[in-house]
Amino acid sequence: VRCSILDIMVNLLGRRPESVWSEWEQAAGHGFAGLPFSNVGVQYGLDALLNDKITPSQFVDLNEKVGGLDMNADLVGERIAGDPASIRNAYRTGLINQANHLDEVAIINHGGPDPGAAHDYSHAFWTEERLKADQGHTDNRVMWFGPAPLIGNIDWAKEALFEMDRWLTAVEADGRNVPLSRKVVEDRPAGITDRCELAPGVDVEDFPGAGDVCRRKEFQTHYGTPRQVAGGPSANHNVACRLQPLDRDSYFMKVAGQETPVPVVFTDGQWARLQAVFPDGVCDWDEPARGQRPAETWLVYSDADGSVVHGGQPLPAVPAHSGTGWSSPSFRSLLDQ
């Protein structure tokens, strides 16, 4: 029995091919859940280097030693190559939520300062970027930010439930022959807006305008990721980057007191070490990730015989008699019980 976060999602990710099995997989006689990410080409500490916070020597040393994780999440010296099929499945199944099916969803996001726990408030801003990329706006989503760590305000869970009911009631009452996504945006009650509390019960009405105190990182204390410091996108949805050649002339450092960035100077020895770390190149973050694609809906993870279908397959067409949901003939026998 394996209880890792990846192995509990094996039906979505699929199993690793036999060609890359570890000694543990060989002993078990089957592949474990595939690794849906890669850090090959990731230049850890790049932003710190370009902002004169670490030296070229430290940058080289970090990238030589960062390594990766094996199937048991133990540190190894090699970078993580990832399993291509599992990377594709992570996008396809929606494990990496790119927000391409959220335009019909009303969203109230409430949160507070991130104490560095697992439930990072950064996810709220990744979602914001992904919504903008997919639908060009975030008008179906409001953000509440308050002083209580992670949740914002102890009363907001209840308040958000009632406000969401009010929002969805307005959508349900809208009989216009227009797309649901439009109703969600246009029927949001005027009082359901972005909000921010600097202290319990003290709202700042203009959140989240540019320059607002609630957008200041020292107040929100939401964090980035090592991949973002390495130049990755603010939406943080690139888990297996495409590569471009390592270029010695592409590094320019911002130095205090100088308006124009200056070239980062690597010694010949340092550059040779970087070439050894990145023999196939470094991340080209301007390109989509390997295997990146919109999520597909809806998927089922077994065939007619009940055997698992790794990565899922499209559900069959909706039966004509299923339009009444839980009261349809499909569920009548269950309801009678």
Side-chain angles (χ1 to χ4, degrees):
V1 175
R2 291 177 60 84
C3 303
S4 77
I5 189 66
L6 297 181
D7 285 291
I8 66 173
M9 299 187 293
V10 64
N11 287 2
L12 287 79
L13 294 172
R15 296 193 179 277
R16 283 161 44 87
E18 187 172 359
S19 59
V20 297
W21 282 3
S22 63
E23 60 181 287
W24 305 285
E25 291 165 298
Q26 292 170 6
H30 62 79
F32 300 148
L35 292 173
F37 43 78
S38 168
N39 68 346
V40 172
V42 176
Q43 299 185 83
Y44 290 100
L46 179 63
D47 185 72
L49 171 70
L50 302 184
N51 283 281
D52 200 19
K53 295 178 180 178
I54 62 174
T55 66
S57 176
Q58 291 171 322
F59 175 72
V60 174
D61 187 63
L62 168 62
N63 281 283
E64 278 183 325
K65 295 177 179 177
V66 69
L69 302 175
D70 65 16
M71 298 308 303
N72 297 321
D74 291 326
L75 185 65
V76 294
E78 300 78 26
R79 298 271 180 134
I80 304 167
D83 297 297
S86 294
I87 291 170
R88 291 193 299 270
N89 284 342
Y91 287 107
R92 180 173 184 264
T93 61
L95 284 174
I96 301 172
N97 187 345
Q98 297 190 92
N100 62 295
H101 291 289
L102 292 182
D103 59 338
E104 296 181 346
V105 180
I107 305 169
I108 298 176
N109 183 103
H110 66 86
D114 189 340
H119 299 277
D120 310 311
Y121 192 63
S122 300
H123 288 81
F125 291 93
W126 301 342
T127 301
E128 181 176 62
E129 294 299 323
R130 297 176 193 186
L131 286 170
K132 289 178 181 177
D134 181 73
Q135 59 192 39
H137 64 83
T138 61
D139 296 340
N140 58 319
R141 175 177 183 262
V142 299
M143 292 178 66
W144 298 356
F145 187 83
L150 296 181
I151 61 173
N153 184 310
I154 195 170
D155 296 321
W156 278 356
K158 179 175 69 175
E159 185 177 347
L161 182 64
F162 286 111
E163 291 290 74
M164 181 60 72
D165 180 66
R166 193 159 65 95
W167 188 349
L168 297 181
T169 297
V171 172
E172 188 176 17
D174 188 339
R176 294 179 298 164
N177 185 24
V178 299
L180 176 59
S181 58
R182 181 175 166 186
K183 294 181 182 181
V184 169
V185 169
E186 296 178 358
D187 295 335
R188 173 164 57 89
I192 302 178
T193 61
D194 293 332
R195 63 189 294 185
C196 175
E197 289 185 356
L198 297 181
V202 182
D203 277 358
V204 176
E205 295 182 353
D206 58 347
F207 175 72
D212 189 320
V213 67
C214 285
R215 285 279 177 168
R216 294 178 189 168
K217 206 164 187 177
E218 62 268 24
F219 176 73
Q220 286 190 332
T221 62
H222 70 276
Y223 303 103
T225 71
R227 194 170 292 250
Q228 289 175 293
V229 178
S234 57
N236 200 40
H237 53 14
N238 188 322
V239 297
C241 69
R242 298 180 186 275
L243 302 178
Q244 60 183 345
L246 188 64
D247 181 3
R248 196 168 183 172
D249 297 325
S250 66
Y251 298 85
F252 290 89
M253 179 187 300
K254 299 177 182 177
V255 179
Q258 298 190 33
E259 293 186 6
T260 304
V262 300
V264 176
V265 178
F266 294 100
T267 67
D268 289 343
Q270 290 168 347
W271 189 251
R273 289 161 62 192
L274 273 184
Q275 289 177 312
V277 173
F278 302 113
D280 299 316
V282 295
C283 287
D284 184 351
W285 298 111
D286 292 330
E287 292 292 322
R290 290 187 284 115
Q292 188 169 1
R293 63 196 62 199
E296 298 179 22
T297 57
W298 294 96
L299 301 178
V300 62
Y301 297 89
S302 62
D303 60 20
D305 297 326
S307 299
V308 65
V309 176
H310 290 118
Q313 62 183 358
L315 281 169
V318 178
H321 59 264
S322 68
T324 51
W326 289 106
S327 61
S328 72
S330 301
F331 297 103
R332 186 160 298 153
S333 62
L334 296 175
L335 294 172
D336 290 342
Q337 294 175 20

